[in-house]
Amino acid sequence: MDSSFPIKDVSMKKKTKKILSQPESPLPLPSSSLAEIFHENTKIRKFDIEFFESRDDYVKQLLMNQYLHFLSWRTQLSNTQRNTGNLTVYTLPRKKELKKETLNLLKIIKKRRSIREFSGENITLPQLSVLLQAYAAMPKKNDKLGLKLRNTPSAGALYPIEIYMTIMRDINSKLSAGIYSYNPLNHSLIQLASSSGSEKINEFLAPQAETNFQKSAVIFYIVGSLKRCSWKYGNRAYSYMLIEAGHLAQNILLLGTTMNLSACPVVGFICDEVSNYLGISEPEEMVLYILVVGKGAKSGN
């Protein structure tokens, strides 16, 4: 029996090997896929920004958004401060009743904040390695079909997420500035472009003018491949893909916090422009989330 193949059932093993030996031909989504329609209709496009910037009432629109944000906050407060009447209220344990390991993680979660100002200092290669281990495959950990498990939960262990990144400046003599993709199976980087193309970043991060990304160290792009999980979950796969992107982003943010790095998650970006920058094509791959990471300007961390 082939010990390198984890399935113990002989007939199942033969069937699985036969499937895996065939050329890859993922089932295509129908052209009217609800997931693709939703993705297209929730994009931020360049003309959206130009339209609002050209309008005389743009400032009024911003003020209205702030007012609605305030109303939403007031609604949240009213929900948490509702009159409980005769309902039973349970008091939850305080810190003293928790274990040290739990308190350490809780401390990191409380410490995490979105920081938009960066010092221009670089991060180290070990720090970059730690951040990427948020999605790395776990050594010697396979599911029953032999799929490599990773450090984030994934529906069906299908892992429809890819990590692309811009390294803004040379980290050392071996790892230069540029655009990279990450291979989680062997924890390695693949260089896609030898320049960071920082001037092009302005084009798709235009809505995030308050984020000083030019002085950050690395920009992560969390990209989803819908076909990788839609063959099993249909349109529901889009929801699972978004959930997984959130798991991964939080892992990276918390790992950065443990190393006193500053980071800012970004969802306001011009979708088609960032896809062109990375050299990916939709709907095969979709940019879902951007994380800007570096050393903070104020704290000097």
Side-chain angles (χ1 to χ4, degrees), residues 14-26:
K14 289 180 179 179
K15 290 178 182 179
T16 306
K17 279 194 170 184
K18 184 177 180 181
I19 294 172
L20 294 177
S21 65
Q22 295 174 353
E24 183 179 1
S25 56

Side-chain angles (χ1 to χ4, degrees), residues 6 13 17 46 82 94 117 121 130 138 156 158 160 164 171 247 262 264 277 279 282-284 296:
K13 181 181 292 189
K17 279 194 170 184
K46 191 173 183 180
R82 67 179 60 150
R94 296 290 181 179
E117 289 293 330
E121 295 179 64
V130 168
M138 296 184 282
L158 296 175
Y164 290 77
I171 290 183
H247 289 319
S262 297
C264 181
Y277 169 80
E282 297 191 9
E284 284 72 25

Side-chain angles (χ1 to χ4, degrees), residues 28-294:
L29 284 169
S31 58
S32 59
S33 162
L34 293 176
E36 288 186 16
I37 293 171
F38 178 82
H39 182 74
E40 285 296 320
N41 282 276
T42 53
K43 281 183 178 179
I44 297 175
R45 293 179 168 85
K46 191 173 183 180
F47 62 77
D48 294 325
I49 306 302
E50 294 171 347
F51 173 75
F52 282 112
E53 287 181 343
S54 64
R55 290 172 62 90
D56 293 335
D57 59 349
Y58 180 60
V59 174
K60 293 180 182 179
Q61 179 72 31
L62 288 177
L63 291 175
M64 178 57 72
N65 287 340
Q66 292 176 10
Y67 176 66
L68 293 175
H69 185 84
F70 173 76
L71 289 181
S72 174
W73 177 244
R74 293 295 302 169
T75 302
Q76 290 180 46
L77 288 179
S78 65
N79 287 336
T80 57
Q81 296 175 354
R82 67 179 60 150
N83 184 3
T84 56
N86 295 324
L87 299 177
T88 303
V89 177
Y90 293 93
T91 301
L92 297 172
R94 296 290 181 179
K95 288 184 178 180
K96 291 181 180 179
E97 300 176 53
L98 300 175
K99 293 182 179 180
K100 182 179 179 181
E101 294 79 5
T102 305
L103 288 175
N104 289 340
L105 178 57
L106 184 61
K107 183 179 179 181
I108 293 299
I109 292 173
K110 289 184 174 182
K111 184 179 177 182
R112 190 218 62 80
R113 290 292 181 273
S114 295
I115 307 297
R116 294 176 171 81
E117 289 293 330
F118 301 94
S119 66
E121 295 179 64
N122 223 347
I123 64 174
T124 66
L125 190 58
Q127 286 176 327
L128 177 62
S129 176
V130 168
L131 293 174
L132 288 170
Q133 286 182 60
Y135 199 50
M138 296 184 282
K140 300 180 181 179
K141 291 285 185 179
N142 300 336
D143 75 348
K144 60 184 178 181
L145 291 178
L147 298 174
K148 291 284 186 181
L149 300 180
R150 304 183 193 175
N151 291 325
T152 56
S154 179
L158 296 175
Y159 303 106
I161 299 298
E162 297 288 344
I163 300 179
Y164 290 77
M165 72 200 73
T166 302
I167 295 178
M168 298 297 288
R169 57 193 64 83
D170 296 356
I171 290 183
N172 56 29
S173 59
K174 293 183 179 180
L175 191 60
S176 60
I179 303 173
Y180 293 80
S181 65
Y182 173 61
N183 184 343
L185 297 181
N186 59 17
H187 194 51
S188 63
L189 296 179
I190 303 168
Q191 189 175 48
L192 304 176
S194 58
S195 170
S196 65
S198 57
E199 68 285 349
K200 294 182 179 179
I201 298 176
N202 290 319
E203 297 178 9
F204 60 78
L205 284 183
Q208 296 293 325
E210 73 276 15
T211 303
N212 189 10
F213 60 86
Q214 292 287 3
K215 289 190 175 182
S216 67
V218 59
I219 302 176
F220 294 100
Y221 310 92
I222 298 178
V223 176
S225 177
L226 187 58
K227 288 182 179 179
R228 199 176 295 173
C229 54
S230 62
W231 65 267
K232 182 175 183 179
Y233 297 112
N235 283 310
R236 186 66 177 170
Y238 191 73
S239 297
Y240 297 158
M241 191 171 66
L242 296 179
I243 291 169
E244 186 172 337
H247 289 319
L248 174 57
Q250 185 72 336
N251 276 5
I252 293 175
L253 293 172
L254 292 179
L255 284 170
T257 302
T258 65
M259 297 182 288
N260 291 321
L261 297 177
S262 297
C264 181
V266 175
V267 292
F269 51 85
I270 302 175
C271 301
D272 293 334
E273 297 293 330
V274 66
S275 293
N276 291 335
Y277 169 80
L278 295 175
I280 63 177
S281 58
E282 297 191 9
E284 284 72 25
E285 291 186 295
M286 307 170 176
V287 182
L288 305 174
Y289 213 163
I290 293 178
L291 304 175
V292 184
V293 181

